[in-house]
Amino acid sequence: MSVIEKGLSATLTRTVGEDDTAIALGSGSLPVLGTPRVLAWCEEATCTAIAGAVADGQTSVGTRVRLDHLGASPVGATVAVVATVTAVDGRLVSFEVVATDSDGRLLAEGEVRRVVVDTERFLARVGA
């Protein structure tokens, strides 16, 4: 079984590119960081935060997301995403996620929940 503890965290830094915009992702008509990409970066940070604590043969899957996308970021902007484990209840892991720009301005915040699963059993169950 994995040994995931409250307080584990990871920080990812990304630069907004053309492929990250609302236009490119189909989530709007402006050339600014799209919400789907912010969410993907947040989920990536959660996976990174617990990667070293998940047992061999296990992985985690997302089960719930609440994300408030509060500020726009233009192409070329640098975004830092921090994911921190806030609670562990058996296999359920909850994270706080926060995204800021290079000036420290809050861009997004929320919660992501993941469940630790046995990789082979999970894939067998979904027929993959």
Side-chain angles (χ1 to χ4, degrees), residues 2-41:
S2 57
V3 183
I4 299 171
E5 297 179 350
K6 186 175 174 179
L8 281 176
S9 69
T11 302
L12 304 178
T13 303
R14 300 288 182 260
T15 300
V16 179
E18 293 292 338
D19 291 342
D20 303 316
T21 65
I23 292 171
L25 296 169
S27 66
S29 60
L30 298 174
V32 297
L33 178 61
T35 303
R37 185 68 76 219
V38 175
L39 174 57
W41 289 346

Side-chain angles (χ1 to χ4, degrees), residues 69-82:
H69 191 174
L70 305 167
S73 303
V75 170
T78 300
V79 175
V81 179
V82 179

Side-chain angles (χ1 to χ4, degrees), residues 35-79:
T35 303
R37 185 68 76 219
V38 175
L39 174 57
W41 289 346
C42 287
E43 287 206 288
E44 181 183 0
T46 65
C47 292
T48 301
I50 62 171
V54 174
D56 289 341
Q58 293 184 324
T59 191
S60 66
V61 295
T63 60
R64 183 174 192 271
V65 173
R66 180 196 56 79
L67 186 69
D68 297 319
H69 191 174
L70 305 167
S73 303
V75 170
T78 300
V79 175

Side-chain angles (χ1 to χ4, degrees), residues 30-126:
L30 298 174
V32 297
L33 178 61
T35 303
R37 185 68 76 219
V38 175
L39 174 57
W41 289 346
C42 287
E43 287 206 288
E44 181 183 0
T46 65
C47 292
T48 301
I50 62 171
V54 174
D56 289 341
Q58 293 184 324
T59 191
S60 66
V61 295
T63 60
R64 183 174 192 271
V65 173
R66 180 196 56 79
L67 186 69
D68 297 319
H69 191 174
L70 305 167
S73 303
V75 170
T78 300
V79 175
V81 179
V82 179
T84 304
V85 174
T86 57
V88 180
D89 184 6
R91 298 182 310 124
L92 178 65
V93 184
S94 298
F95 300 82
E96 174 188 59
V97 291
V98 176
T100 56
D101 66 14
S102 57
D103 294 326
R105 186 172 60 95
L106 182 63
L107 301 175
E109 64 180 348
E111 178 188 35
V112 173
R113 291 186 189 165
R114 303 186 70 79
V115 172
V116 176
V117 298
D118 177 88
T119 303
E120 287 185 22
R121 267 192 301 205
F122 185 88
L123 291 175
R125 208 173 71 224
V126 297

